[in-house]
Amino acid sequence: MSTTHHWWQSVVVYQIYPRSFQDSDGDGIGDLPGITSRLDYLAWLGVDAIWLSPIFPSPMADFGYDVADYTGIDPCFGTMDDFDQLLAAAHARGIKLLLDLVPNHTSDEHPWFRQSRNSRNNPYRDWYIWRDPAPTGGPPNNWLSHFGGPAWSFDAATGQYYLHLFDPRQPDLNWRNPAVRAAIYDVMRFWLRKGVDGFRIDVIWMLIKHPDLPDNPPDPDWTPARPPQQRLLRVYDQHQPEVHAVIRQLRAVADEFADRVLIGEIYKPVEDLVSYYGAELDEVHLPFNFNLVTLPAWSAAAVRDLVERYEALLPPGAWPNWVLGNHDQPRIASRLGQPLARLAQMLLLTLRGTPTLYYGDEIGMEDVPIPPERVVDPQGLRAPGHGRDPERTPMQWDRSPGAGFTHGEPWLPLAADAAVRNVELQRTDPHSMLTLTRHLLALRRASPALNIGRYRTVAVRETHVFAYLRSRGPEDLLVALNFGDTPCQLDLSHLAAQGSIAASTGMDRSGRVELAALALRPHEGLVVALHEG
Ligand code: NOJ
Ligand code: MG
């Protein structure tokens, strides 16, 4: 059996939303020196890779996902020197650093787009997707922006529409143009040469659109409870067969450098998702698996079914990964409540595959209600009630007025519970979510079974329990998760007679257990090291 493992298989990735992690200069916006100052916290927590949402110069129409210069640092985050210091300080602690590559679109203030909109025969015209109006004078097709409204905006000066799958200030690049590809590949080389360990790649499955730009059909399952921009099926503006050739090129660029990783943002069911590993495992190393995030109902049966389908579909040699939250999704603690959020954390950190942790989830941060006058997310502004500001609020470090995040006025409101839910308090509380997370990370690192071992479902009669084994060599770890709100007792004596509790979601159990009568409290999860013989 192969014993070669890449670093990205055994790390946990911690996503930092830079605006909200740590402000160092009192402007209320998190910045790079702030992140550097918190690296010791991340090392203490047991995190060994960080991914930064975009830090590049940007008008911030989509808070950095509208890039105006791919090889600079936005002044609100600091300088290139600050970046170099952060990278060196992370590496000095054995922490890998991933950047966010946003190749699908630029800012409308990017020099490429300024050129492109200048005239129809500008050499940059074909770097973006321009079309004549429909015969009626309206947009070329019915496509909708993910943020609401049409995906086309009219440029009066040149009499054509340009495509933007997101905000009108985020024009889509034309990835059928080889010059665009070459330019982005050089952006990758710039950062890889500096020593960044890889990229999370924004909306990678949208890079290529159907060449004829046909109308998207209506989604028969759409209801008015869902945002209006979801009323069409996205058949022709994403997940096109030709995108795979582009991703292979992105991978080839990463492979010019030793030991780098590409993680692709792809919201797809596992059946489609696995195609992004590539037929020869030559596309992204990790197609982000968001299926725990998009699961319609959170139950033992649904999670087990998902894990089993994913495990069965993974191509030989492909490495799995799991995500519970990010800057685009309601926080896990708000979706499930605190007790189930602990159970979910145990699941995330014991499943087979690289986990990604969203900043603040380690202390159970919740969505923060944003008063209408403080909504800043372009999606929230266009589709009230569907915005992403609630999950992007400042990290809660301590009970001081700025929560240890800032001395100034934070760009988004602080949570009302910041004085009682913060790192300072949870650090010393042996039962806190933070202590649980840190314990699971340490366990995972120390245990080859958890880190790189096999996965096997353990059949149980209790419908509210999901149980599985993680194994490697002589080590067998049982994970038993009670999703239900009633206690239960399992007979798992066929696995072993006895075991020792290695972790419990309440951080309040230890010692030996008899597997013939393994008791689980409501919403309790256990990791049990099985004894041999
Ligand atoms: C996905 C990013 O995660 C999201 O925050 C952003 O708005 C869109 N892509 C557009 O870049
Ligand atoms: Mg600042």
Side-chain angles (χ1 to χ4, degrees):
M1 208 182 116
S2 159
T3 48
T4 340
H5 287 94
H6 300 283
W7 62 266
W8 45 268
Q9 294 179 276
S10 53
V11 295
V12 52
V13 179
Y14 184 97
Q15 180 191 352
I16 292 179
Y17 195 67
R19 293 181 77 82
S20 296
F21 197 60
Q22 179 64 56
D23 178 23
S24 71
D25 58 3
D27 66 353
I29 300 174
D31 44 51
L32 299 178
I35 297 171
T36 305
S37 74
R38 293 296 187 181
L39 286 174
D40 285 335
Y41 163 76
L42 295 172
W44 170 85
L45 180 58
V47 157
D48 33 26
I50 54 178
W51 146 39
L52 308 183
S53 279
I55 53 173
F56 318 109
S58 165
M60 302 288 165
D62 189 19
F63 297 104
Y65 285 95
D66 48 324
V67 179
D69 171 5
Y70 284 103
T71 55
I73 301 292
D74 193 276
C76 83
F77 297 126
T79 63
M80 193 58 88
D81 274 351
D82 293 331
F83 176 78
D84 292 338
Q85 281 174 34
L86 168 58
L87 182 61
H91 283 170
R93 288 164 180 78
I95 297 177
K96 306 280 187 183
L97 193 149
L98 310 179
L99 290 180
D100 207 317
L101 183 71
V102 190
N104 180 68
H105 43 264
T106 67
S107 161
D108 62 343
E109 293 183 26
H110 195 290
W112 300 339
F113 190 70
R114 287 172 183 264
Q115 292 280 334
S116 187
R117 77 181 329 169
N118 227 4
S119 77
R120 288 200 190 197
N121 47 30
N122 187 285
Y124 284 89
R125 186 67 168 183
D126 193 41
W127 281 47
Y128 294 84
I129 301 175
W130 292 96
R131 287 292 183 280
D132 288 335
T136 55
N141 69 19
N142 72 349
W143 293 1
L144 296 170
S145 152
H146 286 266
F147 293 161
W152 297 93
S153 286
F154 188 63
D155 179 62
T158 57
Q160 284 190 313
Y161 282 87
Y162 66 89
L163 179 71
H164 51 84
L165 293 184
F166 294 90
D167 195 81
R169 301 187 58 190
Q170 290 167 295
D172 277 49
L173 283 163
N174 174 16
W175 271 82
R176 292 181 184 273
N177 182 341
V180 166
R181 298 185 184 194
I184 296 290
Y185 302 158
D186 278 343
V187 168
M188 293 172 70
R189 292 186 184 103
F190 172 86
W191 293 107
L192 293 170
R193 234 177 261 130
K194 266 191 179 288
V196 311
D197 299 288
F199 298 99
R200 173 269 192 190
I201 305 179
D202 194 65
V203 297
I204 198 169
W205 86 114
M206 299 185 193
L207 292 181
I208 294 283
K209 287 79 180 166
H210 191 288
D212 304 331
L213 310 178
D215 276 355
N216 276 325
D219 181 346
D221 296 332
W222 181 81
T223 69
R226 287 169 58 193
Q229 62 268 32
Q230 290 176 14
R231 66 179 186 270
L232 303 178
L233 289 172
R234 294 188 172 270
V235 177
Y236 298 114
D237 57 351
Q238 58 176 33
H239 192 51
Q240 299 300 300
E242 299 114 296
V243 78
H244 294 285
V246 172
I247 300 177
R248 282 196 292 276
Q249 293 185 349
L250 292 163
R251 171 63 176 268
V253 175
D255 285 349
E256 292 169 14
F257 299 79
D259 244 5
R260 312 301 162 97
V261 71
L262 297 183
I263 308 180
E265 188 201 18
I266 300 154
Y267 279 90
K268 276 280 160 195
V270 288
E271 289 73 13
D272 294 330
L273 183 66
V274 294
S275 70
Y276 289 88
Y277 285 101
E280 309 287 332
L281 296 187
D282 50 1
E283 297 186 32
V284 289
H285 303 83
L286 300 174
F288 252 148
N289 172 12
F290 295 122
N291 287 281
L292 281 175
V293 173
T294 52
L295 205 64
W298 188 265
S299 69
V303 173
R304 178 177 51 236
D305 171 67
L306 168 63
V307 172
E308 289 182 348
R309 274 187 300 127
Y310 184 52
E311 283 281 348
L313 283 161
L314 284 167
W319 185 249
N321 77 92
W322 296 96
V323 181
L324 283 178
N326 61 36
H327 63 296
D328 296 327
Q329 304 294 338
R331 290 239 180 218
I332 185 81
S334 293
R335 274 168 23 225
L336 303 182
Q338 294 290 346
L340 277 176
R342 283 177 175 248
L343 197 77
Q345 192 79 311
M346 181 173 277
L347 173 78
L348 174 74
L349 298 178
T350 58
L351 281 173
R352 191 174 80 95
T354 303
T356 298
L357 258 180
Y358 186 47
Y359 87 93
D361 281 355
E362 74 271 30
I363 55 169
M365 273 176 64
E366 298 179 355
D367 290 342
V368 175
I370 309 292
E373 68 279 7
R374 296 218 40 192
V375 171
V376 289
D377 171 31
Q379 183 172 299
L381 291 170
R382 279 159 179 274
H386 297 287
R388 302 167 296 180
D389 297 321
E391 61 261 23
R392 297 175 175 181
T393 59
M395 180 68 179
Q396 296 158 210
W397 294 104
D398 60 39
R399 68 188 95 182
S400 68
F405 165 71
T406 186
H407 298 299
E409 178 61 28
W411 74 287
L412 279 176
L414 279 166
D417 68 359
V420 291
R421 189 188 309 285
N422 60 54
V423 170
E424 182 189 43
L425 285 175
Q426 291 197 16
R427 250 185 124 115
T428 51
D429 173 354
H431 307 298
S432 70
M433 176 79 160
L434 182 61
T435 304
L436 169 67
T437 304
R438 181 165 181 255
H439 179 70
L440 288 170
L441 287 174
L443 190 64
R444 189 180 171 93
R445 209 171 0 183
S447 154
L450 282 183
N451 211 299
I452 50 171
R454 292 186 306 281
Y455 164 90
R456 176 158 74 81
T457 302
V458 174
V460 290
R461 271 204 318 268
E462 293 69 12
T463 50
H464 296 302
V465 173
F466 174 32
Y468 47 94
L469 275 183
R470 298 295 316 281
S471 312
R472 180 144 172 117
E475 193 190 5
D476 278 310
L477 287 176
L478 166 73
V479 182
L481 307 171
N482 181 8
F483 286 63
D485 51 14
T486 51
C488 63
Q489 187 165 304
L490 312 175
D491 177 357
L492 297 175
S493 52
H494 61 284
L495 298 175
Q498 288 194 327
S500 303
I501 295 185
S504 77
T505 44
M507 288 299 290
D508 53 359
R509 286 179 65 178
S510 59
R512 285 176 167 244
V513 281
E514 298 291 328
L515 289 177
L518 183 65
L520 291 175
R521 295 180 297 207
H523 297 149
E524 185 174 49
L526 295 179
V527 181
V528 178
L530 301 186
H531 296 177
E532 281 179 90

